[in-house]
Amino acid sequence: MQANTTRGFLWSDVETRTLLNIWGEQDIQVALDGNFRNSFVYRDVSRRLGAMGFERTPEQCRVRIKSLKRQYLLAKEGNLRNNGQYHKICKFYDTMERILSNRAALDPQEFIDGGAGGEEAVDGLEEDGEDAYSESTGECPYPAETEVKLEYPTVPIPIPVKVTVGINSTPARPHNSSQSASNLSTRTPKRPRKRRANFPMEKLMEQFLEQSAQAEDNFYRMEEQRFQAEDRRREAEHARELHMLQMLGQMFSSVSSASAATPSKTAPPAHAPAFSSASPSCTRGQSGHLRRHPPQTDCFTPKNPLVTPEPPGLVFERYYSLGSASHRGMEDDILSLVKNVVPPLTSKKHKGQDGRIGIIGGCQDYTGAPYFAAISALKVGADLAHVFCTKDAATVIKSYSPELIVHPVLDSPNAVEEIEKWLPRLHGLVVGPGLGREDSLLKTAKALIEKSKARDIPIVIDADGLWLVTQQPSVIQGYPKGILTPNFMEFTRLYEALHHEPMDISDHQRSVMQLSVAMGNLTMVLKGEHDLITDGSKVISCSIAGSGRRCGGQGDLLSGAMGVLAHWAHAASAAGMSRSVNPSVVAAFGACSLTRQCNSQAFQRHGRSTTTSDMIQEIGSAFKKLFES
C-alpha cells in the first residue's frame, strides 16, 4: 500500500520563507494561473528549493503552499470581521498578501471546507486544480527535466499575461476565439474534484495482499534458515561431546590395562606409567578440574595399586558436575559483589547522592524507550533521572510520569552546549533508547559521548546508540567505563563491521570475547537465552531463569538499571571495594540478573500478556530478593 509522503514532515520558518520566495516568482505565478495540470510547476519549485539546500518532494511543496493559502484566507476573513485581530494566526500573512494580492480573487470556501486534514488527502483527490503525479507507477505526465520558464508548451487553456496599468488595474487575458468578451473578466470555473480511476480499491487490495504474502514467505524462509543453523550448531556440539567422551574412554581403558599389568608393590617401575605430568591431558581436563597430583607423578595410576581406578563414565560425570558447580560459584561470587556495591539507605544522605542518571534519546517516533530506561533507573535506586529528547517528544514523555526531568533540546541547533551544562551533575549516561538514526541526532550523541568520556562518566550504549558505534567504533573504543548491550542482530552488525567477515554463530562465547578485545577490552553484554558478559579477559554467563516472553522495552529496562549500577560499582571501586573484578562487569551482571528476575516474576503474574510495564512494577521486589536478602 502506498505510503503517505505528506505526513510527518515539519517545515522550518527559513525553509517556508524560501519556498514562498520561489513560489511568488512571476514565472511560477503565471504558470499556476494558466494551467489546471501543473504538477510540472511544483517539480520545478522542488528543484529550485533543492538547489538552495532544502530537499522536498513536489507533493510536499504543493501541500505546504495549500496549507499556507488556507491560513492566509482564514486570517484575512477574520481581519475583516474583527478589525485585524486575526492577523496573528498566519505567521506569513504579509508575504502571502504580497503574492496573492496580484492574483485573481481566491475562493475561501475552497480551502476552508477542506478542513485541517484537507492537505493530506490520501484518497486520490486532485484539489485546487493541481494534478498530483502518479506515485504508484513512478511516471509523471511531463518530463522530469522540464523547467518552469516564461515559455511553456501549448496547453488547451491559454496562459494569462498580466499587464499592470495602474494601482487598481486587473490582469488582462489574451483574446480567445472560443470565449466572448463578456467572459474575460469572469473567473475560470473551478475544476470539479474527481477520483483517480487508474487506482481502484480492488487493485490496491490485491497489491496489499500480494506484498503481505511475500513478506510472510520471507519471514518463514528466514525462520527456517535460523532453525537449520541452530540444528547444525547442536549437531556440532553433540559431535564434540561424543569425541571428548571417546577420547576419555580410550584414555581410561589404557590406564586400566596398564594398572592391571603393574606388580603389587609400593612404587611402580620407571617404565610402567604411560602418562606423566608432561602430558597436558594427564594433569588437567579442558577446564582444569582433574589435576590432583604433583608434577613427576602418574596422574591416573593410584598410589595404592590394590585400589582399582574409577570407571571412565563416573569420572566423566564428575568432570561436568565440577564445571557446573564452578560456574554457579562464580555467579554467586559476582552476585555478592553486586550486593557490596549497593549503597545503604540512610537518613544522612541528600537528594542526588545515590545517582543522577541522564538518558540521551527520545524522538517523535520513539517516546516509550527513554521513559522505560529513565523510570527503571529511578526504580532501581537513582535519585534523579534526566531525559534529553527532541522537542516534539518531550510533552509525550513528560505525560508518562511526573518523576522524570525532561529537556526538549536534543534537536536544537546548540544541543551539545545545552546538554553539556548538565554533564557535571550526572553520575551516569545511557545513550540510545529511542534516539533514532537521523544524522543530526547521531552527531549530537557522538559529541556528548566524547565530552562524557572527558569527564570520566560511566556510559551505557544501547539501541540506536549501537548503530552509531557500528558506523564509528572509535567513539567508545577502549573506554574502560563504557558498556555495550547489543542483542544478537546488533552484535552481528558490530562484529562484521570490525572483523569484515561473517560471525561464527556456533560459538557465541568466542565471538563476544573477540569483539570485546577488538573494541579495546570494552565491557560487552550479548543479550540472549543466557546473557554473555565479558571485558575481554573472561566470559561470564548470567543464567538466572527468566521466561519465554520477549516484549519490546526489556532492553531499555536493562540499560536504565545498568546505568545506575555502573555508577555504584565504579564509586565502590574508587573507595577500595571490589577491585578484583572489573566494576563494569559487576554492574552488567547485576543489571542482567535484575532484568531476568523481573521478567520471571511478571510472567508468573501475567503469563503471555506480560509487558515491560509489568516488569517495571516488579523491580522493587526483585531487587530486594537478589541484592538485599
Side-chain angles (χ1 to χ4, degrees), residues 136-340:
S136 62
T137 61
E139 298 177 357
C140 299
Y142 297 91
E145 63 273 6
T146 303
E147 297 183 359
V148 177
K149 298 182 180 298
L150 286 175
E151 301 80 26
Y152 287 98
T154 58
V155 293
I157 300 177
I159 301 175
V161 179
K162 290 182 170 55
V163 180
T164 304
V165 178
I167 298 177
N168 299 323
S169 62
T170 58
R173 300 179 181 272
H175 176 71
N176 193 323
S177 60
S178 62
Q179 296 178 344
S180 63
S182 60
N183 295 331
L184 290 177
S185 60
T186 60
R187 184 174 178 271
T188 303
K190 178 186 174 184
R191 183 179 181 181
R193 298 180 180 180
K194 65 178 182 179
R195 186 177 296 275
R196 294 183 185 175
N198 56 338
F199 288 104
M201 183 60 65
E202 292 79 5
K203 185 175 180 180
L204 292 176
M205 288 299 299
E206 183 180 355
Q207 292 179 357
F208 172 72
L209 293 176
E210 289 178 358
Q211 294 175 0
S212 300
Q214 184 178 3
E216 187 174 359
D217 293 340
N218 293 336
F219 171 76
Y220 286 128
R221 190 179 302 111
M222 292 179 63
E223 285 295 301
E224 184 177 358
Q225 293 175 358
R226 185 176 67 84
F227 289 144
Q228 291 176 356
E230 189 70 16
D231 291 340
R232 288 194 297 269
R233 184 185 65 82
R234 290 195 184 98
E235 291 175 358
E237 290 181 355
H238 184 62
R240 258 198 318 270
E241 292 176 357
L242 289 178
H243 180 64
M244 184 184 300
L245 184 60
Q246 291 174 357
M247 291 181 61
L248 288 173
Q250 293 175 1
M251 199 159 41
F252 284 112
S253 62
S254 61
V255 171
S256 300
S257 59
S259 300
T262 303
S264 177
K265 52 186 176 180
T266 57
H271 63 278
F275 301 91
S276 66
S277 60
S279 174
S281 61
C282 166
T283 59
R284 56 184 298 177
Q286 280 192 328
S287 60
H289 296 300
L290 292 180
R291 181 167 184 168
R292 293 178 291 178
H293 303 284
Q296 305 301 327
T297 60
D298 187 2
C299 296
F300 294 99
T301 303
K303 293 184 178 181
N304 188 353
L306 296 179
V307 179
T308 58
E310 296 177 342
L314 181 59
V315 176
F316 186 77
E317 182 181 12
R318 178 183 297 177
Y319 175 87
Y320 278 98
S321 65
L322 286 173
S324 60
S326 174
H327 179 70
R328 286 195 301 270
M330 181 181 295
E331 284 191 358
D332 293 339
D333 292 341
I334 299 182
L335 206 58
S336 64
L337 291 177
V338 178
K339 295 179 181 180
N340 291 334

Side-chain angles (χ1 to χ4, degrees), residues 462-589:
D462 185 37
D464 292 324
L466 294 171
W467 177 264
L468 170 63
V469 176
T470 302
Q471 307 302 317
Q472 305 178 48
S474 60
V475 69
I476 195 67
Q477 193 170 21
Y479 184 53
K481 293 187 179 181
I483 306 176
L484 304 186
T485 61
N487 57 27
F488 181 76
M489 293 302 299
E490 294 165 338
F491 180 84
T492 303
R493 280 198 300 263
L494 185 56
Y495 183 93
E496 294 177 355
L498 266 71
H499 292 84
H500 305 289
E501 62 180 8
M503 186 185 72
D504 182 12
I505 62 174
S506 63
D507 193 350
H508 288 176
Q509 292 198 7
R510 179 172 176 270
S511 299
V512 73
M513 179 84 77
Q514 289 177 341
L515 184 57
S516 175
V517 173
M519 290 294 294
N521 291 93
L522 194 68
T523 301
M524 195 82 56
V525 179
L526 174 57
K527 297 178 287 190
E529 181 181 2
H530 300 289
D531 296 334
L532 300 181
I533 307 165
T534 183
D535 60 353
S537 60
K538 57 185 175 182
V539 179
I540 301 172
S541 175
C542 181
S543 56
I544 293 179
S547 76
R549 174 64 172 151
R550 296 291 182 269
C551 53
Q554 291 183 219
D556 304 314
L557 188 157
L558 173 67
S559 61
M562 197 174 298
V564 182
L565 290 171
H567 161 56
W568 290 349
H570 284 285
S573 177
M577 298 174 57
S578 63
R579 292 186 176 180
S580 58
V581 181
N582 186 345
S584 295
V585 173
V586 175
F589 185 86

